[in-house]
Amino acid sequence: MEALLSQLPIGLSIAAVLLLAALGLTFTFGQMGVINMAHGEFIMVGAYTAYVLQDWAGRQAVVVALPAAFLTAGAMGLVLERTAIRRFYGRPLDTLLLTWGVGLVLQQLARDIFGAPNVQVRAPGWLSGGIPMFGSQVPYTRLFILAVAALSVLAIWAYQNRTRQGRRMRAVMQNRQLAECSGVDSERVDRLTFFIGSGLAGIAGVALTLIGPVGPNLGTYYIVDAFLVVVAGGLGRLRGAVAAALLLGLINSYAEFWTDASLAKVIVFVATVAFLQARPQGMFVLRSRALT
């Protein structure tokens, strides 16, 4: 029992990483139907933002980089949406190919600027060490990632439910045609949604610098898991993303405890596919009066 409980904090920390990586996709994929394969590269942009800020902020670069990475990745996502993606709305396979090519370009650009070898971002001194929990030592860095994930979810919930723009986002997500008939500028909502989704990917990249080194391929390690979280939770559903990230993180933690890291990934993937066979619309489905 003690061994099983010791995996619980690890599973929660994995869930926090998955949730941060998937939060942006929850809205860009769920609302706009855009299969953004460059989302992983926006995660990489956030991580490199923290690396660049080290020269100025030192060991506090991770904290300073959180808002900076949000703005940087969000601005890049907005440029991508305005210049290319908006021409492919309603054509998800085309957006997949387009953003996959953009992701490759961004990876090569990162190699040209920062080099191919991985680089390290130093964590603040106050994140050194850990706290005993269930017979294991939980690093403060993992707890910090949990806190960032929780604050991000809270901020998104408040934005959607307490602001005018957030309610417009929900309206477009639920019924785009009816929202447009009600006077909502859906194009403006799409731009803002893509900016927020890409910015959240930047925050995820900053959090990932606390786990390991930063490299041009950083985003490719998490993009598939992020899509699994979005699809399993239900397209565009915030609570679905939280629940799916929590469940997949715990499955990954316990599967890795009994097997190894590679086989644990396979188990998570198989479990997700089996779940979607039984419930293809995900954990939480948007209720509608539509006949189709």
Side-chain angles (χ1 to χ4, degrees):
M1 181 59 68
E2 183 177 346
L4 291 176
L5 289 176
S6 67
Q7 292 300 114
L8 182 60
I10 299 175
L12 292 176
S13 64
I14 295 175
V17 172
L18 292 178
L19 180 59
L20 282 174
L23 274 179
L25 282 178
T26 300
F27 303 107
T28 56
F29 187 28
Q31 172 183 315
M32 303 163 67
V34 174
I35 304 178
N36 183 15
M37 297 302 294
H39 188 81
E41 278 57 56
F42 294 146
I43 294 176
M44 174 198 69
V45 168
Y48 273 118
T49 301
Y51 173 71
V52 170
L53 288 177
Q54 278 191 131
D55 294 336
W56 174 69
R59 295 179 68 91
Q60 304 303 319
V62 171
V63 179
V64 177
L66 288 174
F70 179 84
L71 295 175
T72 303
M76 293 182 65
L78 183 60
V79 171
L80 176 62
E81 193 274 339
R82 285 290 85 194
T83 57
I85 289 180
R86 69 187 182 96
R87 307 175 189 275
F88 294 90
Y89 283 147
R91 298 156 61 183
L93 292 181
D94 290 341
T95 61
L96 185 151
L97 293 175
L98 170 67
T99 54
W100 181 64
V102 171
L104 293 179
V105 171
L106 291 177
Q107 287 184 26
Q108 186 58 49
L109 186 62
R111 293 188 183 94
D112 294 339
I113 296 175
F114 302 103
N118 292 342
V119 295
Q120 191 72 42
V121 177
R122 300 185 302 275
W126 47 271
L127 287 180
S128 302
I131 181 173
M133 188 179 298
F134 301 123
S136 64
Q137 190 84 356
V138 181
Y140 288 130
T141 54
R142 295 279 183 170
L143 295 177
F144 180 78
I145 294 174
L146 277 170
V148 171
L151 290 175
S152 298
V153 171
L154 182 61
I156 293 171
W157 179 88
Y159 174 78
Q160 284 191 309
N161 294 277
R162 295 290 185 266
T163 67
R164 180 178 299 178
Q165 289 297 330
R167 288 190 289 269
R168 289 174 178 173
M169 177 193 292
R170 292 170 58 196
V172 172
M173 191 178 301
Q174 293 175 14
N175 193 317
R176 180 179 292 270
Q177 289 75 23
L178 183 58
E180 290 175 345
C181 291
S182 302
V184 175
D185 187 350
S186 61
E187 289 191 5
R188 181 180 178 183
V189 172
D190 286 341
R191 291 195 299 269
L192 187 57
T193 300
F194 213 87
F195 174 81
I196 294 174
S198 302
L200 290 170
I203 292 178
V206 176
L208 289 176
T209 61
L210 299 173
I211 297 178
V214 177
N217 297 322
L218 175 67
T220 60
Y221 301 143
Y222 295 94
I223 186 65
V224 174
D225 292 336
F227 272 107
L228 290 179
V229 170
V230 173
V231 175
L235 296 182
R237 310 303 290 167
L238 179 60
R239 59 177 178 172
V242 174
L246 180 61
L247 183 60
L248 294 181
L250 292 175
I251 292 175
N252 187 89
S253 174
Y254 286 105
E256 189 172 338
F257 175 73
W258 283 312
T259 57
D260 56 60
S262 299
L263 188 56
K265 288 287 186 182
V266 175
I267 293 174
V268 169
F269 184 78
V270 171
T272 305
V273 172
F275 172 77
L276 292 175
Q277 289 294 317
R279 192 175 177 84
Q281 292 180 315
M283 291 182 180
F284 296 93
V285 182
L286 181 65
R287 293 183 179 181
S288 172
R289 294 176 183 265
L291 297 177
T292 56

